[in-house]
Amino acid sequence: MPWWLPAALALTVVAAVVGGALLALGLAAPGFDFVGNLADAYLWRVVWFTVLQATLSTLLSVALAVPVARAMARRRFPGRGLLLRLFSLSLVIPTIVAIFGIAAVHGRTGWVNDALAFLGLGRADYLYGLTGILIAHVFFNMPIAARILLQAVEAVPPETWRVASQFGLKSRDLFRLIEWPAMRTVLPGAAGLVFMLCFTSFAVVLTLGGGPKATTLEVAVYQALRFDFDLGRAVTLALVQLLLCSVIVTAVLRLAVPSTTALTEGRIYERPDTGGRIGIAVDALALLVTIGLVVLPLAAVAVAGFNPTAAEVLTRATLWRATGQSLVIALSAASLALLLGGAILVTSRILRHRLARAGAAGRLELSASLILVVPPFVLATGLFVLLRPVADVFALGMPLVILVNALMALPFVVRFLGGPMMEEAQRHDRLCQSLGIAGWNRLRLIEWPGLRRPVGLALAVAATLSLGDLGVVALFGSQDFATLPLLLYRAMGGFRMSEAAVIAALLSLLCLVLFLVIEGGLGGLRRRDNV
């Protein structure tokens, strides 16, 4: 088999889905005029709010992540490891579940308002609109940015702290001369990632936007397709988002600062700024704010799930039918994403290691991430329109959801598997070529022990993301086809909060169990295989 064929087949699937969907929408839109539609004042109002909320969300997330990363880097306290694990949950927790937790804390009858009422200050309405969107985006993205910055600070050679102690550097000097330069190498990428996630946010804005004034491009596309069926406007909005996301990605790549690796003795030297009352107070404040923003919503989901309606909700046939459909979608989408991602990486590592074309390999891997700039329900609707003349599209709702979710999970699979596959190639490629070991035998006998854990992690993340997805199902959902996130969204929309609490707790538990079973099932046997 030619070395380029696996990636060519995978990218053909991606290009066929994306290109076919956009082309079908464009052809189905009567009198579609992209240039003429750009004069629509509604379009630019939506673009302005999309950029505004993404910019403010990014600034808040990064501004909070810097002191949090610094506090985590120089403090060792009980529960630090648990807090870091909770930071990781922001990547896989279903968006709609987190939104329920945020509403339970910040809503009209939430914990914050209960505390204000207890103090005699009255209840405040601040959750819905721009404020609620910012709170939710900080919940999701600040932990991600903090983990990235913390990793950069912890990569500082320990000898640097010894020299800093010898020169008697103060805390502000340590930040200016050591920590900030380390953070600066990863800050553009972290900020760009956060901006892209906020720019393409859907469920957060749909649920917490609170009205037409808080509409982003993603939500506007959904409204144009779901309620107005205005294909021309939907295609225009989708193309504008594609163009803006391309500009953002280009800017992030230009702002990136190359990192350097320094040799170290491997000893551990204590930082000279662990003492001092002001430093302790600042770090404690940063950690308390983090707990309030991240930990309380997660705790609210767990607490709210235990209520008198739990028994009645858990006995509904519709709930368990939705559970089964959610699991089928999650496992199928994750498997397809793993297949496509593995095909791209097989070709990429040949380009990188055998042909010494690292630039081409990098562009190939980047191409798998470009799918993130396309709204998922645009893809689903385009496929729906494309297949309508030749098939019963109402019977294809689940396959279409599986396909779109697999493409949305593809960048995460490439991200988690890319490094380990390149390491395995660097370690075994020449030996396998000399012995004539290739294909399935190479994977099974040589590389699988080292790839088992990364494969388990990639598959677990892809399955969990698909399990908690609301975007595509919100477009195709019906009485016969519903998932747990859609049931949760309907319950919250109908203000049936006790029912929503039970569904949210069940969905959280299901995501956790699915993640642990997949990751542990594939990665837990690694130690025995290495013996």
Side-chain angles (χ1 to χ4, degrees):
M1 181 175 64
W3 60 268
W4 49 264
L5 186 58
L9 293 175
L11 292 180
T12 298
V13 172
V14 176
V17 173
V18 176
L22 294 179
L23 180 62
L25 287 176
L27 294 177
F32 172 65
D33 181 10
F34 177 71
V35 177
N37 289 338
L38 292 179
D40 187 0
Y42 170 78
L43 168 66
W44 295 109
R45 187 166 63 249
V46 171
V47 170
W48 164 249
F49 183 80
T50 304
V51 175
L52 174 65
Q53 62 84 23
T55 302
L56 293 177
S57 298
T58 303
L59 291 176
L60 286 174
S61 298
V62 173
L64 289 173
V66 171
V68 169
R70 197 177 188 220
M72 299 290 286
R74 61 178 178 176
R75 305 294 173 193
R76 295 295 183 269
F77 53 89
R80 181 179 182 273
L82 176 61
L83 186 59
L84 286 174
R85 290 186 179 92
L86 291 177
F87 279 8
S88 301
L89 281 179
S90 64
L91 179 63
V92 298
I93 188 172
T95 305
I96 192 66
V97 171
I99 291 172
F100 174 84
I102 291 170
V105 174
H106 299 280
R108 179 72 178 174
T109 58
W111 293 357
V112 172
N113 273 308
D114 287 345
L116 293 176
F118 178 78
L119 297 174
L121 300 177
R123 296 182 180 270
D125 288 320
Y126 61 89
L127 180 61
Y128 296 98
L130 179 60
T131 304
I133 293 172
L134 296 180
I135 291 174
H137 282 166
V138 170
F139 168 86
F140 283 108
N141 299 306
M142 187 274 288
I144 297 176
R147 286 297 299 265
I148 294 174
L149 297 178
L150 175 62
Q151 187 176 14
V153 174
E154 291 182 337
V156 172
E159 292 79 10
T160 303
W161 305 116
R162 181 185 64 180
V163 175
S165 298
Q166 293 172 348
F167 281 95
L169 297 182
K170 303 297 183 181
S171 178
R172 60 179 179 272
D173 299 320
L174 293 175
F175 179 76
R176 179 172 58 89
L177 299 175
I178 299 175
E179 291 177 306
W180 178 248
M183 293 182 181
R184 173 69 179 85
T185 61
V186 298
L187 191 58
L193 174 63
V194 172
F195 189 91
M196 285 291 295
L197 291 173
C198 297
F199 191 86
T200 58
S201 177
F202 172 71
V204 167
V205 182
L206 179 67
T207 309
L208 299 178
K213 293 183 178 180
T215 300
T216 59
L217 285 168
E218 291 261 346
V219 175
V221 173
Y222 168 75
Q223 292 171 344
L225 293 174
R226 180 74 173 183
F227 300 112
D228 304 328
F229 204 69
D230 188 344
L231 297 179
R233 171 175 285 183
V235 174
T236 301
L237 291 166
L239 290 178
V240 169
Q241 176 166 307
L242 286 173
L243 293 174
L244 291 177
C245 288
S246 300
V247 172
I248 295 167
V249 170
T250 303
V252 170
L253 292 177
R254 288 185 177 275
L255 290 174
V257 178
S259 60
T260 57
T261 303
L263 296 177
T264 176
E265 297 176 358
R267 299 181 183 180
I268 298 177
Y269 297 96
E270 185 177 354
R271 293 173 54 127
D273 60 341
T274 55
R277 294 182 178 179
I278 296 179
I280 293 175
V282 171
D283 292 345
L285 179 61
L287 294 174
L288 285 175
V289 171
T290 299
I291 291 173
L293 289 173
V294 178
V295 179
L296 286 185
L298 296 176
V301 174
V303 172
F306 296 94
N307 63 68
T309 65
E312 190 271 332
V313 174
L314 291 176
T315 56
R316 294 179 183 174
T318 55
L319 177 71
W320 296 109
R321 183 167 64 248
T323 301
Q325 292 173 337
S326 298
L327 287 174
V328 170
I329 291 172
L331 296 175
S332 302
S335 300
L336 181 56
L338 183 64
L339 180 63
L340 295 174
I344 291 174
L345 290 172
V346 165
T347 299
S348 174
R349 72 178 183 179
I350 293 177
L351 281 171
R352 193 180 299 273
H353 292 284
R354 295 188 191 178
L355 304 180
R357 296 171 61 183
R363 289 189 294 271
L364 178 61
E365 295 172 15
L366 179 63
S367 64
S369 301
L370 296 180
I371 190 67
L372 290 177
V373 306
V374 185
F377 38 84
V378 170
L379 296 182
T381 305
L383 293 174
F384 193 92
V385 173
L386 182 67
L387 297 174
R388 182 171 56 179
V390 297
D392 181 8
V393 290
F394 294 101
L396 296 177
M398 180 175 288
L400 291 178
V401 171
I402 291 173
L403 178 60
V404 175
N405 279 336
L407 295 184
M408 292 298 110
L410 177 60
F412 297 95
V413 172
V414 172
R415 174 77 174 181
F416 286 120
L417 277 184
M421 285 189 67
M422 299 309 150
E423 292 177 5
E424 290 296 317
Q426 187 175 7
R427 195 179 309 163
H428 303 298
D429 196 48
R430 292 184 178 179
L431 177 63
C432 290
Q433 288 188 71
S434 63
L435 296 178
I437 302 176
W440 172 251
N441 288 330
R442 172 173 172 166
L443 174 63
R444 180 174 59 90
L445 299 174
I446 306 299
E447 296 181 335
W448 181 242
L451 291 178
R452 173 171 279 154
R453 290 190 67 184
V455 168
L457 178 61
L459 193 64
V461 169
T464 309
L465 290 174
S466 301
L467 181 64
D469 177 69
L470 175 65
V472 182
V473 180
L475 191 64
F476 282 101
S478 63
Q479 293 297 325
D480 296 326
F481 175 47
T483 61
L484 286 177
L486 185 58
L487 289 185
L488 177 56
Y489 172 70
R490 290 173 177 171
M492 293 179 64
F495 297 99
R496 303 188 303 274
M497 302 309 291
S498 297
E499 176 185 338
V502 178
I503 300 174
L506 175 62
L507 181 56
S508 301
L509 179 62
L510 192 62
C511 285
L512 179 62
V513 171
L514 184 65
F515 188 91
L516 294 177
V517 167
I518 295 177
E519 187 191 26
L522 289 176
L525 301 178
R526 183 185 181 190
R527 181 178 302 174
R528 188 180 70 184
D529 287 342
N530 286 342
V531 176

